[in-house]
Amino acid sequence: MSDFDYDLFVIGGGSGGVRAARTVAATGARVALAEESRMGGTCVIRGCVPKKIMVFASGFPRHVEHARSYGWDASIGAFDWPAFRTHLHKELDRLEEVYRAMLDKSDVRVFDSRARLTGPHDVELADGQTLSAKHILIASGGSPVRPPLANADMGLVSNDMFMLEKLPRTLLIVGGGYIGCEFACMMAGMGVEVTMYLRSGQILNGFDEECRGLISEMMRERGIEIHTGTSIMDMSRESQQDDMPLGGESDAAMGAPVGEETKAEPQDALARNPKSETIARAGCPVRVKATNGRERTFDHVLFATGRKPNTEGMGLEGVGVEVGRRGQVVVNEYSQTSVPSIYAIGDVTDRVQLTPVAIREAMAFTNTVFKGMDQPVDHELVASAVFTQPELGSVGMTEEEARADREIEVYATSFRPMRTAFIDCPDRTMFKLIVCKETRVVLGAHIVSDDAGEWIQLIGIAVKNKLTKEQFDATCAVHPTATEEIVTMSQPVRSG
Ligand code: NDP
């Protein structure tokens, strides 16, 4: 009989923590998991899932517009945000229950509590109870951060966007990364007037330059105002009239007046959200002075300025777990920390902040520590998608990265696909393959298009397996499709 209460204690019930807990429990080990908030973590409760459902919701006006151009007698009415939000939170409740049921079925002991480390094998729960485990896995995720700016708490963060009582009429988004751009497109699709302030010169830093350019152009075409090289200098509340409606003429269609934001929230999910007080504070418009010299008022300001690992107050330094400059838990290729019995996976390690990566890190941990395999985590050639409208799908090197240290050929095409060209819609699709001149291996693939997220998943298989341009070309095209261009780009547009 082990000297420990458990073989594994997991801190955090997000995608990574839950996967590790279940798979380790399946080996016959005794597993416990502590989660202080809702089971499912960022992805299920405050990120990917509600975001993607909002992406779907925001796309309908455009579908209807296109249907009309195709000859349908179609029109779209007002968007009922409160009805949508209620439905959304019911779905999140259902998913949370699914996660709890999976843990229960796997015989994982769940503690609905915050947990902190008190030793290499010890954790303490919020009620003072201490428990021991042979191994501890930190999977506490990350949280959005606001910039160091006076009154920054007047602005919202991404978590808050799923809890809004009503849609704003105007929204300022600060930051042009994944989250800023996705919310800009979703909100614009729902009829919100969106303005973005970027401190740098372009959205989506780190992605392929041409793709970034095309997406920002199309975002502007859809009415999103993007100001580059612009930051907030000062923020203040426009007025303290909490009953002042935010939504102008369309308030009735969009939901309740803002004065209702401070009322008790009837739904469990909303009431349980520890961040909901932020929404209550956001009772009146925010006046913003910017470095571009302009002063403007917005119903809400959203800070999409990055995320930080959740390591504060977890007792890490006290037990000797090394923490990096950004607050991340420092781990080796097996996700092991500087304390051998303690491991960490997912956003808390700030490696690649993506759900499928956290899940793979969980599986590698289980296989290495509990199944005796030697499985380092593979972070190479991870495909990802930004769910803007149009989407950006990307895997491997950008043209700029590849060009830095080798000779490359760039195969690229930008065209109006048949579906939208027929109705004279200006939307363009872009495909780009970055090919190593010497080995002919496709080093990177980048797609700007509706459904690019779906496509890059498939092209990711070819790029991950280091197929050559000639192997792409040997694949017969499927006609008529937009993606046939991927295997028919015969001449490089540039090389060097
Ligand atoms: P990102 O790092 O992608 O973007 C942060 C943005 O905020 C950048 O535009 C950055 O500007 C700007 N910024 C940072 N600090 C400041 C500041 N002080 N003032 C003004 N602007 C600032 O972070 P996100 O929060 O958007 O996303 C976090 C991570 O979550 C992503 O990296 C991704 O891994 C994950 N994610 C993935 C999604 C997906 O897979 N679809 C969706 C959402 C999130 P600059 O460019 O100048 O640095």
Side-chain angles (χ1 to χ4, degrees):
M1 186 68 188
S2 159
D3 292 340
F4 301 109
D5 297 323
Y6 295 99
D7 299 309
L8 173 68
F9 196 99
V10 181
I11 303 178
S15 306
V18 169
R19 178 61 66 94
R22 285 174 53 216
T23 51
V24 170
T27 67
R30 296 162 309 145
V31 181
L33 180 149
E35 168 57 60
E36 66 173 333
S37 179
R38 298 183 61 186
M39 204 62 74
T42 300
C43 175
V44 177
I45 306 295
R46 295 172 286 275
C48 319
V49 171
K51 179 274 299 291
K52 193 73 190 279
I53 294 173
M54 274 171 74
V55 168
F56 292 138
S58 67
F60 285 104
R62 203 167 169 79
H63 297 325
V64 171
E65 194 188 310
H66 288 183
R68 228 178 9 250
S69 302
Y70 265 89
W72 289 96
D73 175 14
S75 62
I76 196 159
F79 181 57
D80 186 344
W81 167 263
F84 167 76
R85 194 194 57 164
T86 301
H87 191 164
L88 175 67
H89 284 278
K90 263 196 197 141
E91 178 63 4
L92 302 186
D93 286 346
R94 185 186 73 78
L95 291 172
E96 184 178 3
E97 279 317 307
V98 168
Y99 268 64
R100 282 188 183 277
M102 284 190 307
L103 289 169
D104 194 42
K105 223 170 125 194
S106 306
D107 282 332
V108 174
R109 173 77 200 273
V110 172
F111 295 96
D112 287 297
S113 167
R114 185 170 170 75
R116 57 186 291 274
L117 297 165
T118 50
H121 298 280
D122 305 299
V123 295
E124 184 185 67
L125 302 182
D127 64 1
Q129 189 181 173
T130 55
L131 296 159
S132 64
K134 187 169 182 199
H135 299 284
I136 295 172
L137 180 68
I138 305 167
S140 50
S143 330
V145 288
R146 293 176 172 84
L149 184 70
N151 293 331
D153 63 345
M154 289 177 183
L156 308 179
V157 293
S158 55
N159 296 355
D160 303 323
M161 297 301 287
F162 308 112
M163 317 296 288
L164 291 172
E165 277 278 340
K166 67 189 287 291
L167 278 184
R169 188 178 60 80
T170 56
L171 174 69
L172 170 65
I173 300 180
V174 181
Y178 279 84
I179 294 178
C181 290
E182 288 181 348
F183 271 109
C185 293
M186 281 184 265
M187 289 286 126
M190 289 177 176
V192 176
E193 281 174 32
V194 178
T195 304
M196 295 180 82
Y197 285 176
L198 314 182
R199 66 178 177 182
S200 54
Q202 186 54 288
I203 57 167
L204 296 173
N205 202 355
F207 284 92
D208 187 89
E209 288 291 341
E210 281 178 326
C211 297
R212 298 166 72 189
L214 182 56
I215 291 188
S216 70
E217 232 174 70
M218 289 205 270
M219 283 170 65
R220 283 188 165 115
E221 250 165 39
R222 288 168 197 212
I224 298 167
E225 240 187 79
I226 304 177
H227 297 268
T228 57
T230 306
S231 302
I232 293 182
M233 288 171 66
D234 188 43
M235 294 174 75
S236 56
R237 283 260 178 256
E238 176 78 335
S239 95
Q240 291 305 318
Q241 299 164 27
D242 271 359
D243 57 352
M244 182 175 136
L246 286 181
E249 289 171 5
S250 55
D251 275 344
M254 287 185 170
V258 77
E260 288 183 24
E261 288 181 1
T262 51
K263 286 182 186 166
E265 175 52 59
Q267 289 157 45
D268 280 0
L270 299 178
R272 265 187 283 135
N273 188 304
K275 302 280 189 213
S276 56
E277 70 274 17
T278 311
I279 312 296
R281 274 190 278 123
C284 48
V286 182
R287 188 141 187 89
V288 169
K289 260 192 219 165
T291 48
N292 63 8
R294 293 182 70 184
E295 234 178 279
R296 291 173 69 179
T297 298
F298 298 94
D299 291 343
H300 282 302
V301 174
L302 166 65
F303 287 112
T305 46
R307 298 173 60 83
K308 69 168 189 328
N310 288 334
T311 48
E312 265 171 42
M314 284 187 65
L316 298 174
E317 288 88 346
V319 299
V321 172
E322 188 187 344
V323 175
R325 212 165 43 87
R326 297 180 308 279
Q328 80 278 21
V329 177
V330 176
V331 289
N332 65 14
E333 71 269 39
Y334 296 98
S335 299
Q336 191 175 29
T337 72
S338 50
V339 176
S341 56
I342 302 177
Y343 289 73
I345 57 167
D347 288 1
V348 76
T349 63
D350 202 18
R351 288 177 281 183
V352 182
Q353 294 179 45
L354 297 171
T355 300
V357 173
I359 290 172
R360 291 184 86 86
E361 289 167 357
M363 296 305 299
F365 162 78
T366 301
N367 291 341
T368 301
V369 180
F370 285 88
K371 292 190 178 176
M373 299 179 197
D374 180 352
Q375 198 177 98
V377 187
D378 177 9
H379 288 113
E380 204 200 353
L381 294 168
V382 174
S384 78
V386 188
F387 293 97
T388 38
Q389 294 167 5
E391 296 175 5
L392 169 59
S394 190
V395 60
M397 289 186 172
T398 63
E399 178 179 344
E400 296 71 36
E401 282 166 347
R403 201 179 271 291
D405 60 2
R406 77 202 76 197
E407 293 268 301
I408 57 164
E409 285 181 351
V410 177
Y411 294 81
T413 176
S414 169
F415 59 98
R416 290 203 302 166
M418 188 194 279
R419 190 172 61 78
T420 44
F422 176 70
I423 53 175
D424 217 13
C425 167
D427 284 12
R428 300 192 76 76
T429 284
M430 180 189 278
F431 292 122
K432 230 176 134 170
L433 295 180
I434 316 299
V435 177
C436 175
K437 212 166 178 179
E438 188 191 339
T439 62
R440 308 299 301 153
V441 168
V442 176
L443 302 169
H446 309 278
I447 302 176
V448 177
S449 171
D450 289 341
D451 297 326
E454 305 292 338
W455 297 352
I456 205 69
Q457 176 69 83
L458 304 179
I459 295 168
I461 299 170
V463 175
K464 177 79 185 166
N465 285 285
K466 300 191 167 44
L467 296 196
T468 61
K469 176 68 171 74
E470 284 62 38
Q471 286 171 309
F472 271 64
D473 295 348
T475 309
C476 190
V478 177
H479 185 74
T481 65
T483 40
E484 63 186 295
E485 297 284 337
I486 283 285
V487 294
T488 56
M489 291 185 285
S490 58
Q491 293 301 319
V493 292
R494 292 183 285 284
S495 59

